[in-house]
Amino acid sequence: MENPTTSPPDEKSLDRHAFVLKRLSNKNHRYTTGRHRLVDALAGSDKPLTLPDIVAIAPDLAASSVYRNLEVLEQCGVVKRIASGRDHAHFELAEPLLSHHHHLVCTECGAIEDVRLDDEVEELLDQRLNLVAARASFKPLHHSLDLHGHCANCEGLL
Amino acid sequence: MENPTTSPPDEKSLDRHAFVLKRLSNKNHRYTTGRHRLVDALAGSDKPLTLPDIVAIAPDLAASSVYRNLEVLEQCGVVKRIASGRDHAHFELAEPLLSHHHHLVCTECGAIEDVRLDDEVEELLDQRLNLVAARASFKPLHHSLDLHGHCANCEGLL
DNA sequence: CGCAATAATGATAATGAGTCTCATTTACAA
DNA sequence: TTGTAAATGAGACTCATTATCATTATTGCG
């Protein structure tokens, strides 16, 4: 597999670029090459990445800058942070850039995989969540649903 | 309100006590007074607690012991850890001791509140999650569903 | 009961993911 | 360009959580 961070830009990556630029500009932030590389790294993976994952993919990015930019991009709604509790947090592109999905989280090795549910289930879920939120005077922004268990690899080793 | 950690034991707390004792004994652990106090502190709250919350409720518990015991109780399936990502993790009693529920998580102040959904929705959810898990050769243990947004207090201040 | 053997405690040191600092570099706007 | 404000990167720093270890408590057994 070719390194996705250096592939020629296709239509999707141009859209992504434009979207991120807009979100950053809204808050007077610049879309620098470092941030572009970070977004590309996240976009080039089919699962959320940790900081070590990211610097492994793009070794010339400074860890401190990556952390700072993940923070900035999170504020702008471009990146979503997934706190594993143990060790490193995972990061992925946020909803408009990645279609709505959930995670299979391995409680043994910490690996995270993406999964999608039927729209029908998602709608029902949102409906009910909005209901309980309203009851608690809570303003809902988004939901996160994770299935915890053992991935195929760890289950085999147990 | 009286301090719930020193209330006379009712039927529920006796059940809880017995359950925790069994879970600990299974792994050759002892149900010491410190652990009892910790379980009582968690049981006495209607929302997940952080370490500072716990030592505020039971000031004579040593922080290092509380952390160690939370770990032990988590291993025994008595306590569940909720990683907020930022600052302190939250802890609550695990499923058999607390009925299945989900969380409203305030993205501003980090406060966590418990909510429950209809059994109907939960069943549908489990059904679909089991399906996608099977497709990924993933062995499901439990799901977690959080609604992120602004709590009434923070929304008022914004 | 009393005596090992083993687990738990708690004060403190160590760890390490993530954040902050600041001097330097880069990007944008006029 | 050129001035101004934001971004960078190396390293210092924070602070929630873990590990250490000498001491104390608990349990099983004779």
Side-chain angles (χ1 to χ4, degrees):
Chain A
M1 179 176 16
E2 282 299 307
N3 181 346
T5 67
T6 56
S7 314
D10 54 84
E11 198 176 320
K12 258 189 187 165
S13 93
L14 288 177
D15 284 356
R16 187 162 50 232
H17 176 95
F19 177 86
V20 175
L21 177 59
K22 195 162 119 191
R23 285 293 182 100
L24 284 166
S25 301
N26 280 346
K27 297 202 166 158
N28 285 337
H29 289 134
R30 298 165 184 173
Y31 198 13
T32 61
T33 55
R35 288 174 181 172
H36 202 133
R37 305 275 303 287
L38 173 52
V39 168
D40 282 344
L42 293 172
S45 169
D46 62 343
K47 49 190 60 160
L49 299 177
T50 65
L51 184 100
D53 293 338
I54 293 168
V55 297
I57 292 175
D60 53 328
L61 295 183
S64 61
S65 295
V66 172
Y67 272 124
R68 188 177 335 97
N69 286 331
L70 285 168
E71 173 80 24
V72 169
L73 291 168
E74 194 184 9
Q75 297 290 322
C76 295
V78 171
V79 160
K80 216 179 100 196
R81 173 193 306 243
I82 306 159
S84 7
R86 287 273 194 247
D87 66 31
H88 291 268
H90 288 70
F91 298 91
E92 66 180 2
L93 293 181
E95 195 111 317
L97 292 169
L98 229 54
S99 73
H100 182 66
H101 63 274
H102 302 289
H103 297 120
L104 305 181
V105 182
C106 180
T107 57
E108 291 298 314
C109 69
I112 300 184
E113 191 136 357
D114 291 353
V115 290
R116 275 153 240 279
L117 294 181
D118 302 342
D119 289 349
E120 172 209 349
V121 185
E122 293 287 355
E123 268 170 42
L124 178 62
L125 207 54
D126 274 330
Q127 208 177 87
R128 300 308 173 103
L129 285 174
N130 287 341
L131 207 70
V132 296
R135 226 178 274 150
S137 307
F138 186 93
K139 184 190 173 187
L141 292 176
H142 60 90
H143 72 254
S144 73
L145 171 59
D146 299 335
L147 185 60
H148 299 254
H150 300 327
C151 70
N153 186 38
C154 289
E155 184 64 15
L157 299 176
L158 286 182
Chain B
M1 178 174 24
E2 282 299 308
N3 181 346
T5 67
T6 56
S7 312
D10 53 84
E11 197 177 320
K12 258 191 185 163
S13 92
L14 288 178
D15 285 355
R16 187 164 49 234
H17 176 93
F19 177 86
V20 175
L21 177 59
K22 196 162 120 193
R23 287 292 183 103
L24 284 167
S25 302
N26 280 346
K27 299 204 165 160
N28 286 338
H29 289 132
R30 297 165 184 173
Y31 198 13
T32 61
T33 54
R35 288 173 180 172
H36 203 132
R37 306 274 303 288
L38 173 52
V39 168
D40 281 344
L42 293 172
S45 168
D46 63 343
K47 49 191 58 161
L49 300 177
T50 65
L51 184 99
D53 292 339
I54 294 168
V55 297
I57 292 173
D60 53 329
L61 295 183
S64 61
S65 295
V66 172
Y67 272 124
R68 190 179 334 98
N69 287 331
L70 285 168
E71 172 80 23
V72 169
L73 292 168
E74 194 184 9
Q75 298 289 321
C76 296
V78 171
V79 160
K80 216 179 100 197
R81 174 195 302 244
I82 305 159
S84 7
R86 288 274 195 243
D87 66 35
H88 292 267
H90 288 71
F91 298 90
E92 65 180 3
L93 293 181
E95 195 112 315
L97 293 169
L98 228 56
S99 74
H100 183 68
H101 64 276
H102 302 288
H103 297 120
L104 305 181
V105 182
C106 180
T107 56
E108 292 297 313
C109 69
I112 300 184
E113 191 136 356
D114 291 353
V115 290
R116 275 153 242 277
L117 294 180
D118 301 343
D119 289 347
E120 172 209 349
V121 184
E122 293 287 354
E123 268 170 42
L124 179 62
L125 206 53
D126 276 330
Q127 210 176 88
R128 301 308 175 104
L129 286 173
N130 288 340
L131 206 70
V132 296
R135 224 178 278 150
S137 306
F138 186 92
K139 184 189 173 186
L141 293 176
H142 59 90
H143 71 254
S144 73
L145 172 59
D146 300 335
L147 186 60
H148 299 256
H150 299 328
C151 71
N153 187 37
C154 289
E155 185 65 16
L157 298 175
L158 286 181

